[in-house]
Amino acid sequence: MKVMNVPTDRLKLAKDEFIAQWGALGTQWGINRTMAQIHALLMTSPQVMCTDEVMEELSISRGNAHTNLKELVNWGLIKMIVVKGDRRDFYEAEKDVWQIFTIIARERKRREIEPALAILNRCVAETKDLKSAEAKTFHNQVKDLEEFVSFASKMSDRVAGMKHGFALQLATKLLG
Amino acid sequence: MKVMNVPTDRLKLAKDEFIAQWGALGTQWGINRTMAQIHALLMTSPQVMCTDEVMEELSISRGNAHTNLKELVNWGLIKMIVVKGDRRDFYEAEKDVWQIFTIIARERKRREIEPALAILNRCVAETKDLKSAEAKTFHNQVKDLEEFVSFASKMSDRVAGMKHGFALQLATKLLG
DNA sequence: CATTACTTTCATTAAATACTGAAAGTTCAG
DNA sequence: CTGAACTTTCAGTATTTAATGAAAGTAATG
């Protein structure tokens, strides 16, 4: 095996650390460990990678690599790349942080906010005409929640739809 | 058993639906089902409730109820209430949606953003002085992430620290 | 059309997470 | 003190979620 020079070795250590920790974080985020690790790996890889390289690098099975690569493609966080003259599928991560942010925001909205809104709307509608004090408490609370979540949802669209520069400008004003 | 009138029955149905669905949603949010259900139950309850009432209502064990009530108190989403002349602990949920939002934002920041920042900072520092092209790619990507996450963290503080009215005003301008 | 080089699926196994219920702990009243 | 009424803990169990690896599928090549 090739003896690595010091800088490369330190890079490898930092990268492995990053991948491992990002994976652990993923679980906090409701994303599975492997998916987060693959994302970290591809995001910091200067080249596109094929399935076998990912398997090798992370010591995971083919099925696992495949499932999670597909899921990342689904989210839009990575793209499949065809290299001509090569049958293998290669993958490349989106690297622009603002893009990554908008993709994650969109996906979280779809998975977390929209179902919540659906439930809230239904519960508001189902109790609109009830007259008891208890029913009114319930109805009002759910309506407040519904209004807030609906509002948050619109805000999220608005912010994620901005160009990076504009968002930054707005935010700077806000922080200033 | 008492025969319920129609409105009460419809309320019960809506409430059960709300609790069940909110619980299911909780799992998407990385919160466990029971914790989300208890939260939904207390948030829409006109009165404070004791452990046994929660157990009864949700058909869960004492241990489970206890653990999750504690966790909700920890988050600050519910408060323990002492009723004098009664040894039992009662619980009451925070009902103001803006308060709920700021509590959840704070908690998510603590659990999701801060650990991420710690890792990113470390990886940036560890690769600052490496010279290879690959190291530079890694360093730059991680630095971009670090800057973005740090920025998002500050934004989150700023927004969650606002008074509801002010946030609303700002947001209205943004949406308008 | 048969071989090769890959991708995809899926039944099984493993790991992580949540729940139960009984036992131990605490507090207070008599 | 003692017992009653409640809270807290935790070992064991159940449920849920993720990973494996082998088998099946697909498509390009000669």
Side-chain angles (χ1 to χ4, degrees):
Chain A
M1 183 189 165
K2 177 172 172 270
V3 175
M4 286 176 173
N5 58 17
V6 175
T8 306
D9 200 43
R10 277 174 55 207
L11 175 62
K12 181 95 177 68
L13 284 172
K15 211 161 169 174
D16 284 355
E17 159 97 355
F18 175 66
I19 290 168
Q21 299 294 328
W22 203 253
L25 262 181
T27 64
Q28 295 281 3
W29 279 70
I31 284 169
N32 87 44
R33 179 186 312 277
T34 305
M35 183 170 155
Q37 286 181 338
I38 296 177
H39 184 229
L41 175 63
L42 286 173
M43 215 169 28
T44 55
S45 164
Q47 288 101 31
V48 299
M49 295 180 80
C50 67
T51 306
D52 289 73
E53 285 167 340
V54 171
M55 288 165 59
E56 161 73 15
E57 192 68 37
L58 303 177
S59 312
I60 57 174
S61 72
R62 182 171 303 282
N64 194 11
H66 179 259
T67 304
N68 287 291
L69 282 164
K70 272 287 133 83
E71 190 64 4
L72 283 165
V73 169
N74 240 14
W75 278 54
L77 287 170
I78 67 175
K79 280 202 188 65
M80 233 184 78
I81 299 287
V82 177
V83 172
K84 74 175 174 181
D86 197 323
R87 277 203 206 159
R88 291 169 296 177
D89 292 344
F90 288 86
Y91 299 92
E92 175 184 69
E94 170 63 59
K95 299 198 172 173
D96 180 86
V97 288
W98 181 254
Q99 279 303 318
I100 294 170
F101 168 74
T102 60
I103 289 168
I104 291 173
R106 173 160 41 78
E107 195 65 22
R108 286 194 122 178
K109 174 165 177 281
R110 193 173 70 71
R111 311 196 322 165
E112 299 177 356
I113 296 186
E114 280 165 15
L117 259 185
I119 291 156
L120 291 167
N121 282 323
R122 192 136 33 87
C123 289
V124 169
E126 278 166 4
T127 56
K128 206 183 288 286
D129 54 348
L130 298 182
K131 296 289 187 290
S132 72
E134 194 180 349
K136 292 211 148 107
T137 304
F138 177 82
H139 178 78
N140 286 334
Q141 182 65 28
V142 175
K143 190 147 74 66
D144 284 357
L145 281 169
E146 190 271 326
E147 280 163 9
F148 185 82
V149 174
S150 161
F151 169 75
S153 171
K154 289 193 192 92
M155 287 292 288
S156 153
D157 283 345
R158 181 53 79 107
V159 173
M162 289 175 181
K163 287 279 174 293
H164 188 182
F166 185 67
L168 198 68
Q169 190 186 335
L170 172 76
T172 306
K173 204 161 65 187
L174 201 64
L175 289 176
Chain B
M1 185 190 164
K2 176 170 172 267
V3 174
M4 286 176 174
N5 58 20
V6 174
T8 307
D9 199 44
R10 277 174 53 206
L11 176 62
K12 181 95 175 70
L13 283 171
K15 210 161 169 172
D16 285 354
E17 159 97 356
F18 176 65
I19 291 167
Q21 298 295 327
W22 203 254
L25 261 180
T27 63
Q28 293 282 2
W29 279 68
I31 285 168
N32 88 45
R33 178 187 313 278
T34 305
M35 181 170 156
Q37 285 182 337
I38 296 177
H39 184 227
L41 174 64
L42 287 173
M43 213 168 31
T44 56
S45 164
Q47 290 101 30
V48 299
M49 296 180 78
C50 69
T51 306
D52 289 72
E53 286 167 339
V54 171
M55 286 164 62
E56 161 73 16
E57 192 68 38
L58 303 178
S59 312
I60 57 175
S61 72
R62 182 170 304 282
N64 195 11
H66 179 259
T67 305
N68 286 292
L69 283 165
K70 272 288 133 81
E71 189 64 3
L72 282 164
V73 169
N74 242 13
W75 277 54
L77 287 170
I78 68 175
K79 279 203 190 64
M80 234 183 75
I81 300 286
V82 177
V83 173
K84 73 174 176 182
D86 197 324
R87 276 205 207 157
R88 291 170 295 176
D89 292 344
F90 287 86
Y91 299 93
E92 175 184 70
E94 169 62 58
K95 299 199 172 170
D96 180 87
V97 288
W98 181 253
Q99 280 302 319
I100 294 170
F101 168 75
T102 59
I103 289 167
I104 292 174
R106 174 161 38 78
E107 195 65 23
R108 287 195 121 180
K109 174 165 178 281
R110 196 174 66 71
R111 310 195 323 161
E112 300 178 355
I113 295 185
E114 280 166 14
L117 259 186
I119 292 155
L120 290 167
N121 282 324
R122 193 137 31 88
C123 289
V124 168
E126 279 166 3
T127 56
K128 207 183 286 288
D129 55 348
L130 299 182
K131 294 290 186 289
S132 73
E134 194 179 349
K136 292 211 148 108
T137 303
F138 178 81
H139 179 76
N140 286 334
Q141 182 65 28
V142 175
K143 191 148 71 68
D144 283 358
L145 281 169
E146 189 271 326
E147 279 164 10
F148 185 81
V149 174
S150 162
F151 169 76
S153 171
K154 288 194 192 93
M155 288 291 289
S156 154
D157 284 346
R158 180 53 79 106
V159 173
M162 288 176 182
K163 287 279 174 293
H164 188 180
F166 184 65
L168 198 66
Q169 190 186 337
L170 171 75
T172 306
K173 204 161 64 186
L174 202 61
L175 290 175

